[in-house]
Amino acid sequence: MMVSAPARYLVFFQYFGTKYSGVMETSNDQSVVGVQNYLEKAAQNLKPVVPIKFHISSRTDTGVHALCNSAHFDIHRAPGKPAFNEKQLLHCLNYHLKPEPIRVLNAYRVTSSFHARFSALSRTYIYRLLMGCSHYSEIPVFERDLCWAPVGRSLNVPAMQDAAQFLLGTHDFSTFRSLNSETPFQSPVRTILQVDIQPSSGFLSQHYEHRELEFWELKFRSRSFLYRQVRRMVGALVAVGQGKLTPHHIKELLELKDSRAFPSNAMAPPSGLFLKSVEY
């Protein structure tokens, strides 16, 4: 059978990550599967001649959310059938994703040389912190799984901002990565283009002002990040904010270049982490 040249598309999509094993596909017989499994299942409704494979730009872990992730894929249609337009694609995918907290935001036709992962110029993550809870039961129900509430009344934010300066620029981030199967093949050197720590607002928080809850957002931008690097950086900065580490300890941790040197139990949980954007 003749197959006409495939059409390549770039899609931007978001998801509430709590119920997934991360964004990457898993075998379908697991009780919890990846966001990619649902995207590819929805895409088969486009009736392609060849099964559609999503190439995800940014891998996110179990429990991590995306305000905007991206992926590319090719659609092979039967000979004589025109390529889908972007609107058709968007409506079809979202229709079949309806029961899931996954939404395709935009679709663009791209050239066959475009690659969602390798063509990306940078990625931006934000991490949401909630201060003022002495116990996890005090987290507003609307914020559950969407922030981290480290125990304690407040954080020393100026100390955290001082510490964050040590993370900026190009470094060997070995101490700030968790080990996985890719570690031996990956350079630990990364360039952090931006670290910001800003006050933020909670969902509906104007309705419970009396509770003295404070939201903070940590923002990180780099061309790419190592496995769990953002969660380790956040955890270390929070430890500085709590007075468990000094800002200078961050510099020392970087210089040790050893993932085992990272303080135990200091990694931030996945719930507060959001992939905010992928820039091309």
Side-chain angles (χ1 to χ4, degrees), residues 24-255:
M24 304 307 285
E25 74 177 330
T26 54
S27 61
N28 272 310
D29 51 11
Q30 288 183 209
S31 58
V32 178
V33 298
V35 173
Q36 185 179 351
N37 294 54
Y38 292 95
L39 289 168
E40 288 179 358
K41 191 175 160 200
Q44 303 321 322
N45 291 287
L46 297 161
K47 308 275 188 288
V49 177
V50 179
I52 290 174
K53 193 99 212 88
F54 275 65
H55 300 269
I56 310 273
S57 83
S58 306
R59 298 167 176 226
T60 61
D61 261 1
T62 306
V64 175
H65 316 289
L67 296 166
C68 189
N69 201 338
S70 58
H72 79 262
F73 55 87
D74 292 334
I75 303 180
H76 295 259
R77 298 201 75 190
K81 290 209 166 169
F84 287 105
N85 73 41
E86 291 138 344
K87 210 168 213 161
Q88 287 172 314
L89 202 62
L90 197 66
H91 287 312
C92 176
L93 291 174
N94 282 334
Y95 178 79
H96 292 285
L97 286 164
K98 221 177 349 195
E100 295 299 317
I102 304 170
R103 191 71 66 251
V104 179
L105 304 166
N106 279 307
Y108 300 97
R109 179 88 185 261
V110 289
T111 63
S112 58
S113 61
F114 179 89
H115 196 288
R117 189 170 172 194
F118 303 117
S119 303
L121 301 175
S122 69
R123 293 160 173 88
T124 303
Y125 282 88
I126 59 168
Y127 196 97
R128 299 181 69 240
L129 291 174
L130 167 57
M131 295 313 301
C133 294
S134 53
H135 188 261
Y136 71 86
S137 63
E138 294 177 15
I139 300 171
V141 69
F142 303 105
E143 288 288 350
R144 232 180 64 189
D145 301 324
L146 293 170
C147 62
W148 174 29
V151 172
R153 294 320 297 173
S154 65
L155 291 172
N156 180 345
V157 175
M160 292 168 70
Q161 286 165 329
D162 289 346
Q165 296 309 302
F166 291 117
L167 298 169
L168 273 174
T170 304
H171 306 281
D172 178 323
F173 279 98
S174 293
T175 309
F176 289 88
R177 72 164 160 194
S178 296
L179 305 179
N180 68 0
S181 58
E182 288 189 9
T183 307
F185 312 104
Q186 256 186 352
S187 161
V189 176
R190 291 291 183 271
T191 302
I192 302 290
L193 302 165
Q194 181 184 12
V195 185
D196 277 334
I197 304 173
Q198 302 279 357
S200 172
S201 59
F203 181 65
L204 296 172
S205 55
Q206 69 275 24
H207 297 291
Y208 45 82
E209 280 163 350
H210 62 282
R211 296 203 34 206
E212 291 181 8
L213 297 178
E214 270 182 39
F215 288 88
W216 288 85
E217 238 169 61
L218 286 72
K219 183 188 207 178
F220 301 88
R221 189 163 63 87
S222 173
R223 175 141 193 227
S224 63
F225 293 90
L226 298 165
Y227 182 52
R228 294 189 176 161
Q229 182 185 349
V230 177
R231 287 169 57 194
R232 283 189 169 215
M233 292 190 297
V234 169
L237 292 174
V238 166
V240 169
Q242 293 170 326
K244 294 175 183 171
L245 298 177
T246 66
H248 213 262
H249 276 130
I250 301 295
K251 186 173 187 283
E252 289 169 12
L253 285 171
L254 274 172
E255 287 165 357

